[in-house]
Amino acid sequence: MFIKFMYALRGAGLKVSLDEWLVLMEALDAGLAGNSLMEFYYLARNILVKRESDYDKFDMGFMEYFRNIQTISDLPPEFMEWLSQDELERDLADMPEGLKKHDLNELLQMFKERLKEQKEKHDGGNYWVGTGGTSPFGHGGYNPQGVRVGGEGRHQSAVQIAGERKFRDFRQDNELNIRQFQMAFRKLRQFSSRIDSAKTELDINETIKATGDNAGMLTLVYEKPRKNTVKLLLLIDSDGSMWRHTQLVNQLFQALHQSTHLKDLKTYYFHNCIYENLYTTPACRRGDWVETDWVLGNYGSEYKVILVGDASMSTYELMAPGGNINWYDYNEEPGIQWLGKIQRHFDKSIWLNPIKEERWEYTRGYRTIHEIRNVFPMFELTLDGLDKGISKLL
């Protein structure tokens, strides 16, 4: 039953296990969804969705499977205009005794038939798509099961319109904003250590444990404060093909510079690839630089390194000597060798790519993306990607 629905959910990116699907089938057999599509929506979502970031994936899969029910564009414009108007609460005295319950599939088929038959507006009654009354199709009336068309649900008995996609901002694969960047980078505080000083910081977990051990009598436990020990080196690709990602990279930059849990943060820039020099400004102008060897010699291996760039360039820019496109800056060593030096010098380093991972195999510059992925662990600039990247640094 509904096996195509499971594949629709998987197609939308929702990971549905067989065990979860069998639980849903058991719930349906137990009648927990009644004959209401809206109740089925909530039942399925509660069983199959494990975190709020997957709500939108569920809605997209739900909308795909029930698209013929959720889509009402086949109705004439004047018909929809009428259905969207406010209407008076109607007398429900015409409700038949023991209002017939319909199987879910039967209900959906009935709705399709009504859309084909009906050519004009209808108020009240128990058959047509309309307002008020007890018809299972329309809005403003009452029916213990039904499909809402236009208007707002009043009795919470209509189909949940997944097409509203109210949870799209919860998705883990969305691009990040400043606050989300800051929340992700807070995980780096795990590198903090205790300093030799008085115990002035309340230890919540130990306080709870001590209070329980003391028969519920509040027992406060204090610990030495933490000292921030995180050192971060941020290397950002600037200009060229990165121009389209400027806003996203600026948000990352601002989030890091507003962070209060880093002991040290150093930022340098490069254009396409790193060569003999790293620039001190995003303009990457001649002379506004420091030697890359100087950076390697002055920043210890304890620095965590985050490189940000699309890794997309001409192959010669990465693999050939003198590959830098700036005519005034000939390089004796190819960029790939300089990237290797950085990777070997620092204990932990990652590459964040604003291009979606699904495009890395065929986008312009896919060859250089492949080569750089052989040097650095690469993650896309989304919530999921940044979480994975921070975990790699940990």
Side-chain angles (χ1 to χ4, degrees), residues 63-82:
M63 184 170 55
E64 170 65 21
Y65 183 76
F66 293 104
R67 61 185 181 274
N68 293 329
I69 301 304
Q70 300 299 330
T71 301
I72 54 178
S73 57
D74 293 337
L75 294 176
E78 61 274 11
F79 196 52
M80 277 308 304
E81 181 180 356
W82 157 66

Side-chain angles (χ1 to χ4, degrees), residues 271-340:
H271 180 64
N272 283 350
C273 190
I274 294 174
Y275 302 102
E276 295 175 357
N277 300 310
L278 285 165
Y279 296 90
T280 55
T281 67
C284 297
R285 294 191 181 95
R286 177 182 176 85
D288 293 340
W289 58 42
V290 297
E291 293 183 356
T292 305
D293 278 333
W294 181 90
V295 172
L296 295 174
N298 283 271
Y299 300 133
S301 61
E302 74 277 8
Y303 274 82
K304 312 303 172 187
V305 181
I306 297 179
L307 299 98
V308 183
D310 58 15
S312 177
M313 65 197 83
S314 298
T315 305
Y316 80 89
E317 293 182 72
L318 179 66
M319 308 301 293
N324 192 347
I325 64 173
N326 293 328
W327 61 270
Y328 52 75
D329 190 14
Y330 182 86
N331 303 283
E332 298 292 340
E333 299 179 79
I336 192 69
Q337 291 188 17
W338 286 104
L339 295 181

Side-chain angles (χ1 to χ4, degrees), residues 54 64 99 107 165 170 282 292 357:
D54 287 336
E64 170 65 21
L99 192 65
L107 180 67
R165 296 188 62 191
F170 289 68
T292 305
E357 184 175 0

Side-chain angles (χ1 to χ4, degrees), residues 30-58:
L32 299 185
N35 287 321
S36 168
L37 189 58
M38 186 177 75
E39 293 300 325
F40 171 75
Y41 169 88
Y42 284 118
L43 178 67
R45 195 178 76 175
N46 288 338
I47 293 175
L48 303 178
V49 178
K50 294 171 280 294
R51 54 183 182 176
E52 64 182 9
S53 57
D54 287 336
Y55 280 159
D56 189 59
K57 296 175 184 177
F58 177 84

Side-chain angles (χ1 to χ4, degrees), residues 375-392:
V375 180
F376 297 103
M378 185 177 290
F379 306 93
E380 62 177 349
L381 258 181
T382 60
L383 272 175
D384 269 342
L386 187 55
D387 279 345
K388 293 175 183 177
I390 295 299
S391 296
K392 190 68 175 179

Side-chain angles (χ1 to χ4, degrees), residues 99-141:
L99 192 65
K100 182 181 179 181
K101 301 284 186 178
H102 297 285
D103 175 79
L104 182 58
N105 288 327
E106 183 182 0
L107 180 67
L108 302 182
Q109 184 61 37
M110 288 168 58
F111 180 64
K112 294 179 184 178
E113 294 172 358
R114 295 296 189 280
L115 293 181
K116 293 179 181 179
E117 294 177 29
Q118 190 167 347
K119 303 300 180 183
E120 59 185 14
K121 72 176 187 176
H122 192 83
D123 298 313
N126 56 28
Y127 183 82
W128 296 111
V129 179
T131 61
T134 59
S135 170
F137 314 113
H139 69 93

